[in-house]
Amino acid sequence: MAQQQNPSCDIDRFERETVQRATVGFPLTDGSRVEIPLTRIFGQCPQPRVVIVAGVHGDELVGPQALVELAQELPPNELRGTVVLVPRANPLAFAAGRRKAPDDNLDLNRIFPGKKGGTASERIAHVLTQQVTDGADLVIDLHSAGREGDLVPLSGFREARDDCARRSALAAAAFGLEYDWMMRWSPGTLSTWANQQGIPAVGCEVGGRAMAEREEIDLYKGGIHRCLRHLGLLDPPLEVTMPPKVWTQEYVTAPCGGLLEVLVTLGQEVEGGESLARVRDLWGTVCGEISAPRDGAILYTRVQQSVQAGENVFWLGRQEDNPCYEPA
Ligand SMILES: [Zn+2]
């Protein structure tokens, strides 16, 4: 019984060149358990230890699929370090097929490090930080747009100027998705929490629509391989240069609810004032026009053709100077 309450008591017992499957979790009041499955791939030595998390939001499936495949494919005898793969960090949201767990409707990626004895989502956050990511040398957090949207491939770090941000930015550059991204400092996200512990963190976005297509899954797997090479866990070594510019985004929301007609495509460059979408009421009258507040590129687009006032329709991206970049 004691072991069941703390199934992770020997979670970090290193066994050279082995693959271990485990779960961490806790009981709910109805007698069921929250079980978070993870795979630990122990290589030739325990460090560095890279923890890769997906499924923090339950309707984002590219990351979970990539990690399930990597758990089968990463060769422990070629690895110099430990890789921990968590393909479904939020089992309650995953079971519901929703961003958030219906149990408490909290966004897991706003409440890290969670709370012992808190709500279900708070306890999930607590288990993940205390039993899985604590002491990592790098945390990678894989996301997608939810079922209502779609995203360009972004690999990024949290905005800061310290050494942890610099190492995070280099790891994000090694991940190497199409857009070098800088996430605004935002309390309660997994990457912010990691950075606050001095752990470098990479946050990524690929795809959405509650789907996982082969090329999207391969983008994530390729990025993870490059990160592991960058940190010396896999051969051949990967040299990375700091990008001088990074993308940031501003949110463009619907002015009214109704049926949405999107006039631009993902990745498209747009000019300030350009018409991006229109919303019609249920009599067919245009009740809102959405135009670009400035020049930029469409990083996220809503695909669900119904929308409520205030909901996100686009992320308008722009490039700005990378605060971690130092010219040679
Ligand atoms: Zn997400």
Side-chain angles (χ1 to χ4, degrees):
M1 191 61 194
Q3 195 189 352
Q4 202 179 18
Q5 283 172 353
N6 184 12
S8 62
C9 53
D10 61 351
I11 188 166
D12 278 325
R13 196 177 63 208
F14 175 74
E15 286 178 45
R16 189 184 154 100
E17 295 177 23
T18 58
V19 176
Q20 289 185 4
R21 295 174 180 171
T23 59
V24 291
F26 53 87
L28 292 169
T29 48
D30 68 1
S32 65
R33 283 185 61 84
V34 171
E35 300 276 14
I36 302 169
L38 52 88
T39 299
R40 288 188 298 268
I41 306 173
F42 294 123
Q44 301 157 10
C45 47
Q47 252 79 37
R49 182 164 170 271
V50 177
V51 178
I52 311 174
V53 176
V56 163
H57 296 132
D59 60 348
E60 304 174 6
L61 298 172
V62 182
Q65 189 65 43
L67 296 193
V68 163
E69 293 184 14
L70 279 175
Q72 312 285 329
E73 294 166 4
L74 278 176
N77 59 340
E78 292 175 22
L79 212 57
R80 282 182 302 274
T82 301
V83 176
V84 181
L85 303 170
V86 186
R88 190 195 63 186
N90 192 342
L92 299 172
F94 186 90
R98 290 172 48 180
R99 179 179 177 88
K100 307 170 190 173
D103 306 57
D104 53 23
N105 211 33
L106 290 176
D107 187 333
L108 181 56
N109 209 29
R110 299 293 180 273
I111 59 169
F112 286 102
K115 205 186 292 180
K116 191 178 182 182
T119 68
S121 296
E122 288 170 333
R123 293 176 74 184
I124 290 172
H126 186 259
V127 163
L128 288 170
T129 53
Q130 300 306 306
Q131 298 185 29
V132 182
T133 55
D134 197 35
D137 295 291
L138 176 69
V139 171
I140 302 174
D141 190 17
L142 304 178
H143 288 257
S144 302
R147 65 172 60 253
E148 73 290 343
D150 203 358
L151 274 158
V152 298
L154 301 153
S155 49
F157 63 101
R158 287 278 160 202
E159 178 176 23
R161 285 176 183 274
D162 54 18
D163 183 60
C164 187
R166 195 185 59 79
R167 288 189 291 149
S168 302
L170 279 175
F175 205 103
L177 297 181
E178 188 177 346
Y179 292 77
D180 291 308
W181 185 34
M182 185 172 71
M183 303 176 279
R184 297 297 185 199
W185 192 258
S186 173
T189 70
L190 181 58
S191 52
T192 302
W193 174 85
N195 287 173
Q196 286 168 332
Q197 316 308 304
I199 303 170
V202 174
C204 298
E205 302 276 3
V206 169
R209 299 156 287 131
M211 294 172 69
E213 295 189 349
R214 172 45 49 197
E215 64 184 55
E216 297 169 337
I217 298 162
D218 289 344
L219 282 179
Y220 268 162
K221 289 166 67 177
I224 290 165
H225 271 273
R226 284 189 298 275
C227 258
L228 296 178
R229 289 170 54 200
H230 166 62
L231 291 183
L233 280 87
L234 282 178
D235 282 329
L238 181 73
E239 287 293 321
V240 186
T241 55
M242 185 73 80
K245 297 273 187 186
V246 285
W247 288 87
T248 60
Q249 81 273 11
E250 106 181 38
Y251 302 102
V252 181
T253 57
C256 54
L259 292 172
L260 180 70
E261 183 184 354
V262 171
L263 306 171
V264 290
T265 56
L266 210 51
Q268 184 176 329
E269 292 187 13
V270 298
E271 293 180 358
E274 186 172 335
S275 190
L276 304 180
R278 58 177 76 102
V279 185
R280 291 181 193 276
D281 66 21
L282 276 295
W283 293 274
T285 307
V286 174
C287 59
E289 297 265 7
I290 302 174
S291 54
R294 54 170 173 74
D295 294 357
I298 303 296
L299 303 184
Y300 164 93
T301 179
R302 188 178 181 89
V303 297
Q304 184 175 317
Q305 287 178 281
S306 62
V307 69
Q308 301 295 314
E311 284 185 320
N312 262 328
V313 179
F314 301 107
W315 294 8
L316 184 61
R318 73 165 163 202
Q319 284 189 297
E320 58 182 88
D321 290 337
N322 180 353
C324 295
Y325 178 75
E326 285 170 9

